Amino acid sequence: DAQESRGLGDVYKRQVFNFIRKMKYKLALVMSVLCAFSAWTEAKVKLPAILSDGMVLQRERPVKIWGNADKGENVTVVFKKKKFSTVAGEDGKWLVELPPMKAGGPFEMTVNDIRLKDILVGDVWLCSGQSNMELTAGRVTDKFAEEIARDENPMIRYVKIPLGNDLHGPKDDLPGADWMSLTKETAPSFSALAYFFAKEMYRETQVPVGIVNSSWGGSSVEAWMSEEALQKFPRQLHERDLFNSDEYRELCNRSGQMMNRFWDTALYKGDRGLHDGICWNRPELDDTDWQTVDMFSKEWGRKNGYPVSGSHWFRQKVNVSAEQAGKEAVLRLGCMVDADSVFVNGISVGNTFYQYPPRIYRVPASILKPGENLVTVRLINYGGAASFVPDKPYCLAWGTDTVRLSSRWKYQLGCEMPARTNSVSFQNVPTGMYNSMISPLRNLAFTGALWYQGETNTGRPNEYEELLAAMIIDWREKLADKELPFFIVQLANFMKTHSEPVESNWAALREAQRQVALKVPNAALAVAIDLGEWNDIHPLNKKELARRISLLVKRRVYGDKKSVHSGPMCTGMTVNHEGKAVLSFEAGTDKLWAVDELKGFAIAGADGHFQWAEAVVVNGNQVAVWHKDIPHPVTVRYGWDDNPVHANLKNRTGLPASPFQISLEDK
């Protein structure tokens, strides 16, 4: 039996061995097939993210289609029944150029086995800048809700370029890019300015419009410039070098996130309003011993004369009728500095984490009750002075039926904190945005570029003209279009108006923008000096701004020489025998609107001391400016303030003049 068992064991061993050997062979065969399949899949042609379903290609210009594949791979592009072939180079890159095409579509395109659908040919616009370009149509619904809610146009397409700020060098591709048609569902996510501009362009041309929005809130002009463009600006390049380490950037981001988390945790632990027996948002809390304050006063939220960071609690009772209580309401709380959590009758209705968005919170009918309703605001300030922004809506609303909130609130400090440490703003680091958000677009053709940026650079306005001019020239070179039309949005009026002539960084930056438009060929300036809001860096009226840009486009791109394209643009100054400065303006913008009293002009002699001046339109196209105590004027300023609300120089079409500074020595 033992011998038989050993014999059977040997048989089993041989069978197991043979089985394993066969399995190894099969496994090796499977692995070979998988490797071959992997190699085959890797050899497939790849397109950049911007070339995808729903895209718009530039009409009447050669169109580049490009991508990657294995070295030597044959690539065939078929579009509109025409075939274009090439071979991937040593680096795996390939490119074919399609001939200029008329507007039309939708079309399909195949690139080897890739199929792209719903492609249009029309006018493509590059829109870039900071938050006023990035600001969505959803943020301007207070002014344009009905229009945005009803609009649909499959001939208008939009793509938002993903945020990125790589400092290592220009990138060839994006992490993703989704083209979308204009529908009622997508309209709120469009850039507000781009949304209205695209509609103006379609109305003018009746051809498809593509918007490529490459913008990032808070970004500086240097961040949108390539290393080549910054060669004359060593300080900016050295600033880039400070952050050109992935390890350091990660440490900055991690430390910033940690400090914010620690700050938030300390605030939560120390906030009496959250831990003092009854939470301060509860209706049953007795707040009779709380201080009563005016929400717009600068007196609350201060200690020993200095603003207090941390949490500030506000409570107010609002009377609601039985009919109102039975319907959903909207609670409008303007804007606050910085963050907030809001409660109605102790129930959370919304929160916002930074200062700029309007506070618009839905209040379900189930929360409201007839009679008194408690509104509680926990306002969190990260540093500086906490505040409610004046001249904003503060009310409960049921359509047009509103109950205004009082400016008087019960107030209590919840927790005093040190100011929160600011983290590094990498969207300001030179070259970062260009590398990640412009370089991957360099093979595209554009009708023109719209630029709305400058707020971040107002601390250094004297260098802006040279920086922006260098950026425009470099973009044109990188995009292989030396004549690319470039439309600059001048900064809108913002902040308080001064009663006496002042030095203003905002005015100085506007002048830099104006000088670029005057000096750089095929650049133009859209004036927005009357479209701003003193209490909001993001003014709502992007529709009129888009119309003004469209007037410039009609003249510069589409050759309309008949319509007035701009407000008065000052180009020269002389002094007459009476000692008055006589200003002249760009032809075509200089049929001036005569008013009883021109305002907003200041004049200075050789000492550079400015005083408000008298001014009048002369000869229908010039302005005479003078001051009785300045017999020899040297420099004239117009609209030279952060918010020059009284400036009223316009032409007969009603378009406002650009703010400016001009001197006798200016040519």
Side-chain angles (χ1 to χ4, degrees):
D1 292 342
Q3 186 177 0
E4 186 178 354
S5 296
R6 284 195 300 271
L8 288 173
D10 292 338
V11 172
Y12 292 148
K13 285 179 183 179
R14 285 195 299 272
Q15 290 177 340
V16 169
F17 175 78
N18 291 333
F19 175 76
I20 293 173
R21 185 175 60 183
K22 290 178 181 179
M23 289 303 296
K24 282 183 177 180
Y25 171 77
K26 291 180 179 179
L27 182 60
L29 183 62
V30 170
M31 291 302 294
S32 298
V33 171
L34 288 175
C35 289
F37 179 76
S38 176
W40 177 76
T41 56
E42 288 177 1
K44 289 180 66 175
V45 169
K46 295 180 181 178
L47 292 173
I50 195 67
L51 301 182
S52 58
D53 291 345
M55 66 181 174
V56 182
L57 302 176
Q58 179 61 43
R59 64 169 169 153
E60 299 170 2
R61 294 270 299 278
V63 172
K64 295 176 181 177
I65 304 298
W66 73 98
N68 289 282
D70 274 5
K71 177 180 68 174
E73 181 80 8
N74 293 318
V75 180
T76 300
V77 177
V78 179
F79 189 60
K80 296 180 67 176
K81 299 181 180 179
K82 293 183 179 179
K83 186 181 294 186
F84 308 86
S85 298
T86 189
V87 176
E90 291 290 323
D91 57 0
K93 296 180 180 179
W94 58 268
L95 182 148
V96 299
E97 188 170 277
L98 280 57
M101 296 171 283
K102 293 183 178 180
F107 304 112
E108 289 191 359
M109 176 185 293
T110 61
V111 183
N112 284 17
D113 60 344
I114 299 173
R115 181 184 176 197
L116 301 180
K117 297 172 290 184
D118 195 25
I119 299 169
L120 301 178
V121 177
D123 286 342
V124 185
W125 294 88
L126 175 58
C127 298
S128 189
Q130 57 181 110
S131 56
N132 266 304
M133 182 62 83
E134 194 175 22
L135 189 81
T136 64
R139 284 277 296 275
V140 301
T141 51
D142 270 3
K143 198 170 183 70
F144 306 106
E146 291 185 10
E147 182 174 352
I148 293 169
R150 70 170 182 261
D151 269 348
E152 296 202 344
N153 188 340
M155 294 293 105
I156 292 177
R157 306 288 172 83
Y158 175 85
V159 59
K160 178 66 169 71
I161 301 304
L163 304 182
N165 53 10
D166 194 296
L167 302 178
H168 296 313
K171 300 302 168 190
D172 292 329
D173 202 359
L174 304 163
D178 297 319
W179 288 85
M180 62 179 77
S181 298
L182 176 59
T183 67
K184 290 182 287 188
E185 292 73 28
T186 62
S189 63
F190 277 48
S191 154
L193 178 58
Y195 163 81
F196 290 114
F197 175 74
K199 295 204 302 176
E200 286 282 350
M201 289 300 94
Y202 185 77
R203 188 161 34 246
E204 172 71 15
T205 65
Q206 293 296 299
V207 304
V209 177
I211 299 291
V212 179
N213 180 11
S214 185
S215 57
W216 191 345
S219 56
S220 66
V221 65
E222 300 96 315
W224 295 100
M225 298 174 69
S226 72
E227 182 171 353
E228 293 81 4
L230 287 170
Q231 288 304 307
K232 290 199 257 182
F233 307 95
R235 183 184 66 78
Q236 280 81 358
L237 284 177
H238 294 153
E239 180 184 354
R240 184 275 313 271
D241 293 342
L242 290 175
F243 298 98
N244 198 9
S245 162
D246 290 338
E247 183 181 6
Y248 180 59
R249 285 163 60 93
E250 184 180 354
L251 285 171
C252 288
N253 288 328
R254 285 173 54 196
S255 64
Q257 292 167 3
M258 288 177 66
M259 287 304 299
N260 289 345
R261 188 167 67 250
F262 294 156
W263 195 92
D264 293 341
T265 300
L267 175 67
Y268 175 80
K269 288 182 178 179
D271 194 338
R272 292 185 299 139
L274 300 174
H275 307 293
D276 195 17
I278 301 174
C279 184
W280 289 359
N281 64 25
R282 300 301 305 165
E284 59 267 27
L285 177 75
D286 182 2
D287 59 15
T288 54
D289 62 342
W290 283 31
Q291 183 182 359
T292 300
V293 301
D294 187 296
M295 64 194 296
F296 303 119
S297 169
K298 297 186 182 300
E299 299 305 315
W300 62 265
R302 304 181 80 85
K303 188 174 182 180
N304 299 323
Y306 295 97
V308 174
S309 303
S311 64
H312 305 264
W313 289 77
F314 297 83
R315 289 164 57 95
Q316 177 176 157
K317 291 179 180 177
V318 182
N319 278 304
V320 172
S321 70
E323 182 181 359
Q324 291 168 334
K327 296 181 290 187
E328 178 178 290
V330 173
L331 177 60
R332 303 292 302 268
L333 287 171
C335 294
M336 307 180 209
V337 181
D338 291 293
D340 63 87
S341 296
V342 176
F343 308 85
V344 174
N345 294 328
I347 300 172
S348 173
V349 295
N351 54 64
T352 303
F353 299 106
Y354 65 111
Q355 69 182 74
Y356 293 116
R359 274 54 169 185
I360 305 174
Y361 298 136
R362 186 179 66 86
V363 183
S366 58
I367 293 178
L368 296 171
K369 61 182 181 179
E372 288 187 340
N373 291 260
L374 176 69
V375 177
T376 306
V377 176
R378 181 181 182 241
L379 175 58
I380 298 171
N381 178 250
Y382 300 132
S387 65
F388 293 86
V389 177
D391 294 344
K392 295 285 185 180
Y394 293 87
C395 63
L396 268 172
W398 299 261
T400 57
D401 181 18
T402 61
V403 175
R404 294 185 62 183
L405 273 64
S406 169
S407 65
R408 308 286 290 177
W409 293 72
K410 289 285 190 176
Y411 166 75
Q412 188 79 281
L413 176 65
C415 180
E416 181 181 356
M417 290 283 294
R420 194 160 84 169
T421 304
N422 290 328
S423 56
V424 178
S425 297
F426 284 106
Q427 68 265 45
N428 291 331
V429 178
T431 75
M433 246 68 81
Y434 171 81
N435 289 342
S436 296
M437 300 175 66
I438 297 297
S439 177
L441 309 175
R442 62 187 182 273
N443 283 330
L444 294 179
F446 296 100
T447 301
L450 275 58
W451 176 253
Y452 196 164
Q453 191 278 334
E455 298 91 339
T456 293
N457 286 85
T458 51
R460 298 172 281 116
N462 294 335
E463 62 186 20
Y464 192 79
E465 178 186 339
E466 195 174 0
L467 285 166
L468 181 57
M471 190 200 82
I472 294 172
I473 293 168
D474 186 64
W475 278 23
R476 287 172 170 172
E477 181 178 335
K478 297 295 195 302
L479 295 170
D481 186 351
K482 296 292 180 65
E483 303 297 323
L484 179 72
F486 210 93
F487 300 92
I488 304 161
V489 178
Q490 195 178 51
L491 294 186
N493 51 309
F494 177 53
M495 298 181 290
K496 292 184 178 180
T497 302
H498 296 87
S499 59
E500 297 296 331
V502 295
E503 295 301 322
S504 163
N505 281 359
W506 278 65
L509 195 129
R510 292 187 193 108
E511 176 64 7
Q513 293 173 317
R514 188 181 78 95
Q515 290 297 330
V516 172
L518 288 172
K519 296 175 182 177
V520 175
N522 217 15
L525 185 71
V527 176
I529 198 60
D530 58 336
L531 299 179
E533 301 171 25
W534 79 267
N535 59 2
D536 201 330
I537 201 170
H538 302 122
L540 296 180
N541 197 357
K542 297 295 191 286
K543 183 174 183 177
E544 172 59 17
L545 180 57
R547 186 186 76 87
R548 293 180 187 179
I549 299 172
S550 74
L551 293 175
L552 296 168
V553 169
K554 289 174 188 177
R555 184 179 183 87
R556 300 282 181 139
V557 176
Y558 301 124
D560 180 0
K561 304 296 183 183
K562 296 180 180 179
S563 61
V564 178
H565 63 282
S566 169
M569 187 70 73
C570 187
T571 55
M573 170 181 166
T574 59
V575 176
N576 66 16
H577 67 280
E578 297 177 318
K580 295 179 179 180
V582 180
L583 308 177
S584 55
F585 298 84
E586 180 184 317
T589 73
D590 56 352
K591 293 182 178 180
L592 304 180
W593 193 342
V595 296
D596 293 336
E597 182 183 4
L598 281 177
K599 297 180 180 179
F601 286 90
I603 197 168
D607 62 358
H609 178 66
F610 285 89
Q611 298 190 59
W612 292 129
E614 295 183 74
V616 65
V617 173
V618 294
N619 303 321
N621 63 355
Q622 294 179 312
V623 172
V625 185
W626 71 95
H627 189 283
K628 61 182 180 63
D629 296 330
I630 304 178
H632 303 291
V634 172
T635 303
V636 172
R637 284 175 171 174
Y638 170 73
W640 200 269
D641 197 353
D642 301 332
N643 186 9
V645 293
H646 303 299
N648 63 345
L649 177 62
K650 300 178 180 180
N651 57 26
R652 294 177 196 173
T653 65
L655 291 171
S658 166
F660 62 84
Q661 173 177 285
I662 193 163
S663 299
L664 278 176
E665 62 267 22
D666 293 336
K667 295 181 180 179

